[in-house]
Amino acid sequence: MVFEAASVGTPEGDQAKSKKALKKEAKEAAKAAKKEEKKSQNASQLQEAENDYSAGKYGALPMIQSGDKISREFTHVKDLTKVLADQTVWIRGRLHTSRAKGKQCFAVIRQQQYSVQCLIAVSDTTSKAMVKFASNITKESIVDVEATVRIVNQSIESCSQKTVELHVIQLFTVSAAKSQLPLLIEDASRPVKDEGFVEIHTPKIISAASEGGANVFTVSYFKTSAYLAQSPQLYKQMAIAADFDKVFTVGAVFRAEDSNTHRHLTEFVGLDLEMAFKYHYHEVVDVIANSFTQIFKGLRDKFAAEIAAVSQQYPVEPFTFLDPPLRLDFATGVKMLREAGVEIGDEDDLSTPDEKLLGRLVKKTYDTDFYILDKYPLAVRPFYTMPDPKDNKKSNSYDMFMRGEEVLSGAQRIHDPEFLAERAKLHGVDLEKIKAYIDAFRFGCPPHAGGGIGMERVVMLYLGLDNIRKTSMFPRDPKRLTP
Amino acid sequence: MVFEAASVGTPEGDQAKSKKALKKEAKEAAKAAKKEEKKSQNASQLQEAENDYSAGKYGALPMIQSGDKISREFTHVKDLTKVLADQTVWIRGRLHTSRAKGKQCFAVIRQQQYSVQCLIAVSDTTSKAMVKFASNITKESIVDVEATVRIVNQSIESCSQKTVELHVIQLFTVSAAKSQLPLLIEDASRPVKDEGFVEIHTPKIISAASEGGANVFTVSYFKTSAYLAQSPQLYKQMAIAADFDKVFTVGAVFRAEDSNTHRHLTEFVGLDLEMAFKYHYHEVVDVIANSFTQIFKGLRDKFAAEIAAVSQQYPVEPFTFLDPPLRLDFATGVKMLREAGVEIGDEDDLSTPDEKLLGRLVKKTYDTDFYILDKYPLAVRPFYTMPDPKDNKKSNSYDMFMRGEEVLSGAQRIHDPEFLAERAKLHGVDLEKIKAYIDAFRFGCPPHAGGGIGMERVVMLYLGLDNIRKTSMFPRDPKRLTP
């Protein structure tokens, strides 16, 4: 047993314990120690064999099971700088690398994205056995280190903490890694929330398919069947009809599409916005576009180190954007494509290759990886899309693109129940099935527009990754359901 | 046609329009006007019949379809104070009430939770027909009002804006309510995010039931079957194993329980936290408990008006809490229940009536509606719960209660893969099915604990509501799937 409970302080109140309790505790401790011995057998044997003068200063900690309360102060690796020179600190981190070299062992301890070099060298307080123990710890194990902070003469380029190293006094494994793990870099980016937006939560289990019957997952729901929502749109709109003014929701969106591509997931994180406006849906387009600009600036300014780390592994041209963003009319996009030799009708939707090509043309002409394509043909948008009052072949709808791939689709929605029913009928939608939706607008509803953003796509395209699975901790596709 | 486009400014560039375009626009405008006339027929007829000198200053606006851009400044009702005395403003809001009284009409316009009194009185600029139009607008219709702000001598107690009223110059309906809607009060409360927590998103579609096979919804997943996650716990733990240190996630949680009670939903919003700790899981309990205290203080201080509004409709004793919160041992709770005459074994779980009773006893003794019950019997907790090292019949687990009902359940989780497998086997869990889960801890994992909070329950119990359905915009229960 190498862990000295006494050295880290006795919790208040222990003095008051009954003999019986103390006896019981002693028994438990003996049991725990025995269990522990098994784990750190190698270390223990060495310590015993050599009558080790470092005994008790290293080894495997018993599994932390919240026995006694210990109020030890830990320093975060990121805070290990010259300011702490010659002070003694405790850190808890991962063994990033270690390398034995004669009577010493150099180790790098990592805590999240920060790392520090540690030296364990044979001395009158550090035994050979302790150095050997250090050398044998498996990489990625979680370790507790007590050490003195020392300023180094030469910058340590391999660590984030370049100006100091740690001279180890005590070293324990908290949770040992069984084998080597490939390093994963997980980047989480959160969108900027605009003033005045209220976050809402919308149901995922719904009674009717929200965007038509295709591509929807079916759920057994007690004695009936239900569906997984393909979009929170109808609920966002009801919130607007209930005077929430500006709402957003972040949550799971489901698509039962058997698309095994680099950019499709069956479950993804949607950031959906909906906003009442006064006179023109461009009021909303401007807010959404500005949100993107804020996201891009935030990523660039606050996550430069993380972005650099990713682009070291996946090199890519940095993401460019204009402020304010570029907004093109759909007709202008079609013109650009035609000039590039693409055959496309005025009321056709863009194919994925068309979108990619247009992205390249836009980038060449305007030097931006982000732009808005506005005024899509009415024929290619859902029934609830508001027609353009000046041209009934067009609609008040828009897509937004990053590196030539769609990341947001949105529109002004029809807020007049009679007109909505008329448009639904024209699209062959069964009015009975969308009655609750249409009824939501019968008590007055402000004009409104919005859109839905696929967050994994935004991350993928911002970083220029080749596959959306690289942006999700636990991606779901037609063939992947675990972990 | 009563909407004067010219009066709100001509957008730039119109001058440059071709004759053809102008002709087309005129045609469209005529069409729109015709459509509009139908809607505001009564008003139009009156205006025509009387050769109305207020014509053009009132009526129904055409459906806002984002025709021309209009850059009119709107004032929010909440900003209507003495500061704006004698100024002319535009507001858009709901017609809350209206009351005709001889040659004048008093109306209250509401914008979200703010309201202002408006006066439409016959004068040399306001015709009798205009006052009549105002009197006939259906309640809850959305209206645009141009008016002069006037200071009043006597405080208007029925409105949030007590010191001013609006003398109406123009009045238009933007979206008319078809009939009366009962007023809904929707309160959204957001939890305080503690420093250092990273928000993650976890999959809802999973390949194996996360908390055992019971009460789980089945999804058709292409050619196979999947389940809806009953908890994001396993994923939170994987994030901890990947060194995220502190994570939280807010999202849908699914329970296929056929429980038709006041406190069960089949889909609810879970706020799940998980946190690595150094030595004792109480480090985590303290953080979670403090989050609750922050939530309670935030609600009390920032949402006093909203809480008062709800308690006017649903009277209840205000919610009480201690800072720091009360933490009782399970054994102490059992003792209190026994003293109150309840028969309960040391290793029994609490029944719902027991919980309610204990809540009342705690309230009586400690004057708090929130407390933590710690150290549940190991036998009544899931296999992954860390046993108490000092008493193997107890566990490092806890529930948190509000007004005697559970709102959070949590524990230190076993982070040692061998021990986890051992405990799973004891519980009869099929190791093959949880292989990915156990494997997640094979590369070293910090000791950690966490918990899951049902947000709707927190809202219900904080406000002392009698039914959880009152806290959800779109509640889901065994019998309710719409809207």
Short mmCIF file of all heavy atoms in Angstrom, two decimals, chain B residues 458-482:
data_model
loop_
_atom_site.label_atom_id
_atom_site.label_comp_id
_atom_site.label_asym_id
_atom_site.label_seq_id
_atom_site.Cartn_x
_atom_site.Cartn_y
_atom_site.Cartn_z
N VAL B 458 -38.37 20.49 -12.37
CA VAL B 458 -37.82 21.62 -11.60
C VAL B 458 -38.76 22.82 -11.71
O VAL B 458 -39.09 23.46 -10.71
CB VAL B 458 -36.41 21.98 -12.11
CG1 VAL B 458 -35.94 23.30 -11.50
CG2 VAL B 458 -35.42 20.87 -11.76
N VAL B 459 -39.23 23.09 -12.93
CA VAL B 459 -40.13 24.23 -13.13
C VAL B 459 -41.45 24.01 -12.38
O VAL B 459 -41.94 24.89 -11.66
CB VAL B 459 -40.39 24.48 -14.63
CG1 VAL B 459 -41.40 25.60 -14.83
CG2 VAL B 459 -39.09 24.81 -15.35
N MET B 460 -42.00 22.79 -12.52
CA MET B 460 -43.27 22.48 -11.86
C MET B 460 -43.16 22.66 -10.34
O MET B 460 -44.02 23.30 -9.72
CB MET B 460 -43.67 21.03 -12.16
CG MET B 460 -44.84 20.53 -11.32
SD MET B 460 -45.34 18.81 -11.69
CE MET B 460 -44.08 17.86 -10.82
N LEU B 461 -42.08 22.12 -9.76
CA LEU B 461 -41.97 22.12 -8.30
C LEU B 461 -41.55 23.48 -7.77
O LEU B 461 -41.98 23.89 -6.70
CB LEU B 461 -41.02 21.01 -7.86
CG LEU B 461 -41.56 19.62 -8.19
CD1 LEU B 461 -40.47 18.57 -8.09
CD2 LEU B 461 -42.74 19.28 -7.28
N TYR B 462 -40.73 24.19 -8.54
CA TYR B 462 -40.37 25.54 -8.09
C TYR B 462 -41.63 26.40 -8.01
O TYR B 462 -41.84 27.12 -7.03
CB TYR B 462 -39.35 26.16 -9.04
CG TYR B 462 -38.88 27.51 -8.53
CD1 TYR B 462 -37.82 27.60 -7.62
CD2 TYR B 462 -39.51 28.68 -8.94
CE1 TYR B 462 -37.42 28.82 -7.12
CE2 TYR B 462 -39.10 29.91 -8.44
CZ TYR B 462 -38.06 29.97 -7.54
OH TYR B 462 -37.66 31.19 -7.03
N LEU B 463 -42.46 26.31 -9.04
CA LEU B 463 -43.68 27.12 -9.09
C LEU B 463 -44.83 26.50 -8.30
O LEU B 463 -45.89 27.11 -8.16
CB LEU B 463 -44.12 27.34 -10.54
CG LEU B 463 -43.14 28.15 -11.41
CD1 LEU B 463 -43.58 28.11 -12.86
CD2 LEU B 463 -43.05 29.59 -10.91
N GLY B 464 -44.62 25.29 -7.79
CA GLY B 464 -45.67 24.62 -7.03
C GLY B 464 -46.89 24.29 -7.88
O GLY B 464 -48.02 24.30 -7.39
N LEU B 465 -46.66 23.98 -9.16
CA LEU B 465 -47.79 23.62 -10.03
C LEU B 465 -48.22 22.19 -9.74
O LEU B 465 -47.45 21.39 -9.22
CB LEU B 465 -47.39 23.79 -11.50
CG LEU B 465 -46.99 25.22 -11.90
CD1 LEU B 465 -46.49 25.25 -13.34
CD2 LEU B 465 -48.19 26.16 -11.75
N ASP B 466 -49.46 21.88 -10.09
CA ASP B 466 -49.98 20.55 -9.76
C ASP B 466 -49.79 19.56 -10.88
O ASP B 466 -50.10 18.38 -10.73
CB ASP B 466 -51.47 20.66 -9.41
CG ASP B 466 -52.27 21.27 -10.56
OD1 ASP B 466 -51.64 21.84 -11.48
OD2 ASP B 466 -53.51 21.20 -10.53
N ASN B 467 -49.32 20.02 -12.04
CA ASN B 467 -49.19 19.10 -13.16
C ASN B 467 -48.04 19.52 -14.07
O ASN B 467 -47.92 20.68 -14.47
CB ASN B 467 -50.50 19.07 -13.96
CG ASN B 467 -50.57 17.86 -14.86
OD1 ASN B 467 -49.65 17.59 -15.64
ND2 ASN B 467 -51.64 17.10 -14.74
N ILE B 468 -47.21 18.54 -14.41
CA ILE B 468 -46.01 18.79 -15.21
C ILE B 468 -46.36 19.29 -16.61
O ILE B 468 -45.57 19.99 -17.26
CB ILE B 468 -45.14 17.51 -15.26
CG1 ILE B 468 -43.71 17.85 -15.69
CG2 ILE B 468 -45.76 16.43 -16.16
CD1 ILE B 468 -42.71 16.79 -15.33
N ARG B 469 -47.57 18.97 -17.06
CA ARG B 469 -47.99 19.40 -18.41
C ARG B 469 -48.06 20.92 -18.52
O ARG B 469 -47.97 21.49 -19.60
CB ARG B 469 -49.32 18.76 -18.78
CG ARG B 469 -49.19 17.25 -19.05
CD ARG B 469 -50.51 16.52 -18.95
NE ARG B 469 -50.35 15.08 -19.02
CZ ARG B 469 -49.94 14.33 -18.01
NH1 ARG B 469 -49.65 14.89 -16.84
NH2 ARG B 469 -49.81 13.03 -18.14
N LYS B 470 -48.22 21.58 -17.35
CA LYS B 470 -48.28 23.04 -17.37
C LYS B 470 -46.92 23.68 -17.59
O LYS B 470 -46.82 24.90 -17.76
CB LYS B 470 -48.87 23.54 -16.05
CG LYS B 470 -50.36 23.28 -15.94
CD LYS B 470 -50.94 23.75 -14.62
CE LYS B 470 -52.46 23.50 -14.62
NZ LYS B 470 -52.96 23.13 -13.30
N THR B 471 -45.86 22.87 -17.56
CA THR B 471 -44.51 23.45 -17.69
C THR B 471 -43.90 23.18 -19.06
O THR B 471 -42.79 23.60 -19.33
CB THR B 471 -43.56 22.84 -16.65
OG1 THR B 471 -43.34 21.47 -16.98
CG2 THR B 471 -44.16 22.92 -15.26
N SER B 472 -44.63 22.47 -19.90
CA SER B 472 -44.08 22.09 -21.20
C SER B 472 -44.93 22.70 -22.30
O SER B 472 -46.15 22.65 -22.24
CB SER B 472 -44.07 20.56 -21.34
OG SER B 472 -43.68 20.19 -22.64
N MET B 473 -44.26 23.28 -23.30
CA MET B 473 -45.04 23.86 -24.40
C MET B 473 -45.79 22.79 -25.16
O MET B 473 -46.91 23.01 -25.60
CB MET B 473 -44.10 24.59 -25.37
CG MET B 473 -43.65 25.93 -24.86
SD MET B 473 -43.29 27.06 -26.23
CE MET B 473 -41.76 26.34 -26.81
N PHE B 474 -45.13 21.64 -25.36
CA PHE B 474 -45.73 20.57 -26.15
C PHE B 474 -45.53 19.24 -25.40
O PHE B 474 -44.70 18.43 -25.79
CB PHE B 474 -45.07 20.51 -27.54
CG PHE B 474 -45.06 21.85 -28.25
CD1 PHE B 474 -43.89 22.59 -28.35
CD2 PHE B 474 -46.22 22.36 -28.80
CE1 PHE B 474 -43.88 23.82 -29.00
CE2 PHE B 474 -46.22 23.60 -29.44
CZ PHE B 474 -45.05 24.33 -29.55
N PRO B 475 -46.30 19.02 -24.32
CA PRO B 475 -46.06 17.83 -23.50
C PRO B 475 -46.35 16.53 -24.24
O PRO B 475 -47.22 16.48 -25.11
CB PRO B 475 -47.04 18.02 -22.33
CG PRO B 475 -48.06 18.98 -22.80
CD PRO B 475 -47.39 19.86 -23.80
N ARG B 476 -45.58 15.51 -23.89
CA ARG B 476 -45.76 14.17 -24.44
C ARG B 476 -46.04 13.20 -23.30
O ARG B 476 -45.27 13.12 -22.35
CB ARG B 476 -44.46 13.73 -25.14
CG ARG B 476 -44.15 14.52 -26.40
CD ARG B 476 -45.17 14.19 -27.47
NE ARG B 476 -44.91 14.86 -28.73
CZ ARG B 476 -45.57 15.95 -29.13
NH1 ARG B 476 -46.49 16.50 -28.38
NH2 ARG B 476 -45.31 16.46 -30.31
N ASP B 477 -47.17 12.50 -23.38
CA ASP B 477 -47.45 11.45 -22.42
C ASP B 477 -48.01 10.27 -23.20
O ASP B 477 -48.15 10.34 -24.42
CB ASP B 477 -48.37 11.98 -21.30
CG ASP B 477 -49.74 12.36 -21.80
OD1 ASP B 477 -50.24 11.75 -22.77
OD2 ASP B 477 -50.34 13.30 -21.23
N PRO B 478 -48.31 9.18 -22.48
CA PRO B 478 -48.75 7.99 -23.24
C PRO B 478 -49.93 8.26 -24.17
O PRO B 478 -50.11 7.56 -25.16
CB PRO B 478 -49.13 7.00 -22.13
CG PRO B 478 -48.23 7.35 -20.99
CD PRO B 478 -48.11 8.86 -21.05
N LYS B 479 -50.73 9.28 -23.85
CA LYS B 479 -51.92 9.53 -24.67
C LYS B 479 -51.83 10.80 -25.50
O LYS B 479 -52.77 11.16 -26.20
CB LYS B 479 -53.16 9.60 -23.75
CG LYS B 479 -53.42 8.29 -23.03
CD LYS B 479 -54.69 8.33 -22.23
CE LYS B 479 -55.03 6.98 -21.62
NZ LYS B 479 -54.00 6.47 -20.69
N ARG B 480 -50.74 11.53 -25.39
CA ARG B 480 -50.68 12.82 -26.08
C ARG B 480 -49.43 12.94 -26.97
O ARG B 480 -48.31 12.91 -26.49
CB ARG B 480 -50.67 13.95 -25.06
CG ARG B 480 -50.81 15.34 -25.71
CD ARG B 480 -50.38 16.44 -24.79
NE ARG B 480 -51.21 16.50 -23.62
CZ ARG B 480 -51.98 17.55 -23.30
NH1 ARG B 480 -52.01 18.61 -24.10
NH2 ARG B 480 -52.68 17.55 -22.20
N LEU B 481 -49.69 13.08 -28.24
CA LEU B 481 -48.59 13.16 -29.21
C LEU B 481 -48.69 14.43 -30.05
O LEU B 481 -47.87 14.66 -30.93
CB LEU B 481 -48.64 11.96 -30.14
CG LEU B 481 -47.75 10.78 -29.78
CD1 LEU B 481 -48.07 9.62 -30.69
CD2 LEU B 481 -46.29 11.16 -29.92
N THR B 482 -49.75 15.21 -29.86
CA THR B 482 -49.93 16.44 -30.64
C THR B 482 -50.23 17.61 -29.72
O THR B 482 -50.74 17.39 -28.62
CB THR B 482 -51.12 16.31 -31.62
OG1 THR B 482 -52.25 15.88 -30.89
CG2 THR B 482 -50.82 15.36 -32.75
#
